Amino acid sequence: MKFILVLTICSQIHANCIPPTVHDVVFDSHYKCATEGYQIAKDMLTELGQEFVDRNQLVIGFKCNSSSEV
């Protein structure tokens, strides 16, 4: 089964999320998708910077959809 990573960035302080973003890589396993999701979320928060993340109380969620669901 193939999996597609879907990321969502949300602001807890503003109580809203931007529309989900579909990652452009198709993964061969749920494990690979999930571990990449954590890494991408961490990298995105780092790139946005602590001040911006703190000010907006950002969180990044993700899910791994089977490719038949997309």
Side-chain angles (χ1 to χ4, degrees):
M1 184 177 289
K2 304 287 186 180
F3 293 89
I4 298 173
L5 178 63
V6 181
L7 298 143
T8 305
I9 301 173
C10 299
S11 170
Q12 295 183 147
I13 199 165
H14 300 294
N16 65 357
C17 300
I18 64 169
T21 303
V22 177
H23 191 57
D24 58 353
V25 175
V26 176
F27 297 93
D28 291 331
S29 71
H30 185 271
Y31 175 84
K32 289 178 182 178
C33 179
T35 55
E36 186 70 11
Y38 284 114
Q39 187 61 53
I40 290 172
K42 180 182 179 289
D43 292 346
M44 289 173 75
L45 290 173
T46 300
E47 187 175 318
L48 291 169
Q50 183 175 346
E51 183 181 330
F52 185 77
V53 172
D54 283 346
R55 183 173 58 244
N56 294 287
Q57 295 181 10
L58 296 181
V59 294
I60 299 174
F62 69 88
K63 60 184 176 179
C64 295
N65 289 341
S66 65
S67 59
S68 63
E69 294 177 25
V70 178

